[in-house]
Amino acid sequence: MGTHAERRKVLRNIRNIGTVVALIGISATAMGTQAGATSSVSTSVFVAVNPERVLDTRFGIGGETEPLSGTITLSLDGVAGVPAGATAVSLNLTVDNATRSGWVSVRPSGSTSFVSSINFTPGQIVANQIMVGLSADGDISITNPIGSVDVILDVFGYFASAETLGAGDALSGPSGTPGPAGPAGVKGDTGPKGDTGATGAKGDTGAVGATGPAGATGAIGLTGAAGATGAVGPTGAIGLTGAVGPTGAAGPAGPTGATGLTGAVGPAGPTGATGLTGAVGATGPTGLTGAVGPTGPAGATGAAGPALMMASSADSRLSTDASGNAAYVALVPLQGAVASTPNTFTITGSTFNGASTPNGQVFPEAFTIRNIAFVADATSSVYSPVPVTLHAQIYVQPSGGAVAALVGASCDTAPIVPAASTILAGTEASCSSSGLSLSLAAFTRAWMVVSASTSAAVTLYFQVSTSVS
């Protein structure tokens, strides 16, 4: 340990640093140190400092002027008395002005662990004291994966090795003989079940699945209209001219005038009447029929068969009870080519939450369903310990009749397998059914009902779309 004077100098240096507590055998990973740090046991020292606020998104402290939505990195190297080489910090974490229920994770920068440091709901101001490891550069990362929230961080102290602080071996003496283990305490009552943890961060998008088989060929359209009539053939030769009729009889001669003096020439006598028209000559023989004209151009293609009826929505809520049976389902009216917002209902038989069923697509004429295609995209990452299967079923209501499932008008997706107990946002599931021949009477209403089934209670959020032809 050196001379008495050297020991006094070490203790005087420790007092200048602040209040010091020696923590023997703290592992780097127990504090949540940066990824890749050694897991060997080392001696660390906690140094209390005067509390100092290093982050407040409400007032721009720490350089952040907007509520947290996503991930930011905060450097504590040389900030609030934290020296270079510090391994961890003691923080007071406070959240305020949350827009959605969620959680915040504080961890060493570069760590892939997203453990919740604090949970909250809108309207709450919640605080929690935490100890967080630092990266090699003295940085931490703060993540809020859902909505936005104001974050406040206050530093109360830090951890560093004795060598970093210059205290050397003066901080710890030789280990004493371990005392005997005390008797086990009485087991306490089980505490109440905590709130469900917030959805984990969105994982990487999985590889694109193999291309599915080609869909069935659509029905043949109606026959096009007949082509225009070909051009008229050339006119046959003109028949022979009929014989000229006989000349009509001449009119009577006018009387001879008396011979007088040669006077002026008298007016001309009236012209005799025209003789009768001769009879019409016989019609000549009919000319030969002209050659057939070339075929006219093909008529325009006939109109396509019935248009696809499509329905789509955003953020449909699907859930199951503890036995894995459907609890909340998405009821999507088929609205032609117009997108529609789903209605979320619980389903018992053909009754939807005791409420009147919203208007579905009305078919003014009889219609035959031959193909069904269904796609669902997860809009949020959710916790799910077991695979989940989605079921798409068409329900119909004949004019004046009751709502009922249309037998055969359904399909099931392949099980959605969670990654690390999480169904990630962007996960896609689909199914189809073709070669059907399901007839609907005129004035029938129709809906697509989407439900989930599994072996546990889960709540999912999907954007769903379907097409029927």
Side-chain angles (χ1 to χ4, degrees):
M1 291 296 295
T3 65
H4 178 70
E6 289 173 340
R7 290 195 296 271
R8 291 186 62 189
K9 181 178 180 181
V10 169
L11 294 176
R12 187 163 57 249
N13 288 337
I14 293 173
R15 285 195 298 271
N16 291 335
I17 293 172
T19 305
V20 178
V21 180
L23 302 179
I24 310 298
I26 296 178
S27 77
T29 56
M31 292 274 214
T33 55
Q34 64 272 16
T38 178
S39 60
S40 62
V41 174
S42 63
T43 300
S44 294
V45 176
F46 174 76
V47 179
V49 299
N50 289 329
E52 182 173 338
R53 183 151 297 177
V54 294
L55 176 66
D56 192 334
T57 59
R58 300 172 302 178
F59 306 111
I61 297 175
E64 300 295 331
T65 59
E66 297 292 336
L68 178 60
S69 176
T71 299
I72 61 172
T73 298
L74 183 67
S75 176
L76 295 180
D77 189 4
V79 177
V82 179
T87 58
V89 290
S90 176
L91 303 170
N92 191 63
L93 168 63
T94 306
V95 293
D96 189 9
N97 301 320
T99 60
R100 292 183 62 177
S101 297
W103 54 275
V104 167
S105 172
V106 184
R107 63 195 184 283
S109 181
S111 171
T112 58
S113 173
F114 287 85
V115 177
S116 172
S117 301
I118 195 168
N119 297 314
F120 50 83
T121 59
Q124 286 187 317
I125 301 176
V126 186
N128 190 27
Q129 186 172 1
I130 60 175
M131 291 187 290
V132 182
L134 297 173
S135 70
D137 296 327
D139 299 339
I140 60 174
S141 293
I142 307 105
T143 297
N144 171 37
I146 303 173
S148 64
V149 66
D150 280 310
V151 178
I152 303 98
L153 284 177
D154 301 307
V155 175
F156 284 87
Y158 62 88
F159 292 86
S161 66
E163 290 77 8
T164 298
L165 296 174
D169 293 333
L171 295 173
S172 61
S175 300
T177 302
V186 178
K187 181 178 180 180
D189 295 333
T190 301
K193 180 179 179 181
D195 295 334
T196 301
T199 303
K202 177 180 178 181
D204 296 334
T205 303
V208 177
T211 302
T217 303
I220 297 174
L222 300 176
T223 303
T229 303
V232 178
T235 304
I238 299 173
L240 297 175
T241 304
V244 178
T247 303
T256 302
T259 301
L261 294 175
T262 303
V265 178
T271 302
T274 302
L276 297 175
T277 302
V280 177
T283 302
T286 303
L288 299 176
T289 303
V292 178
T295 303
T301 302
L308 290 179
M309 296 167 294
M310 302 185 67
S312 61
S313 62
D315 216 16
S316 299
R317 178 185 179 187
L318 307 177
S319 69
T320 60
D321 58 22
S323 299
N325 299 318
Y328 281 94
V329 302
L331 184 73
V332 187
L334 298 180
Q335 299 289 350
V338 180
S340 61
T341 301
N343 294 272
T344 300
F345 293 91
T346 55
I347 180 170
T348 303
S350 61
T351 301
F352 300 96
N353 201 27
S356 60
T357 311
N359 291 336
Q361 170 72 35
V362 177
F363 302 96
E365 299 178 358
F367 183 78
T368 299
I369 295 177
R370 301 189 184 278
N371 303 286
I372 297 172
F374 168 76
V375 179
D377 294 286
T379 58
S380 299
S381 297
V382 296
Y383 171 77
S384 177
V386 293
V388 178
T389 298
L390 301 185
H391 177 69
Q393 169 71 60
I394 292 180
Y395 278 70
V396 296
Q397 182 182 26
S399 178
V403 176
L406 181 60
V407 178
S410 65
C411 64
D412 293 322
T413 67
I416 304 171
V417 180
S421 297
T422 300
I423 293 178
L424 303 175
T427 298
E428 181 179 285
S430 62
C431 64
S432 63
S433 184
S434 59
L436 307 176
S437 182
L438 304 175
S439 298
L440 301 181
F443 303 106
T444 296
R445 296 182 183 276
W447 305 263
M448 177 64 80
V449 176
V450 184
S451 59
S453 63
T454 182
S455 59
V458 297
T459 297
L460 313 168
Y461 295 90
F462 279 92
Q463 179 183 14
V464 300
S465 63
T466 185
S467 64
V468 179
S469 62

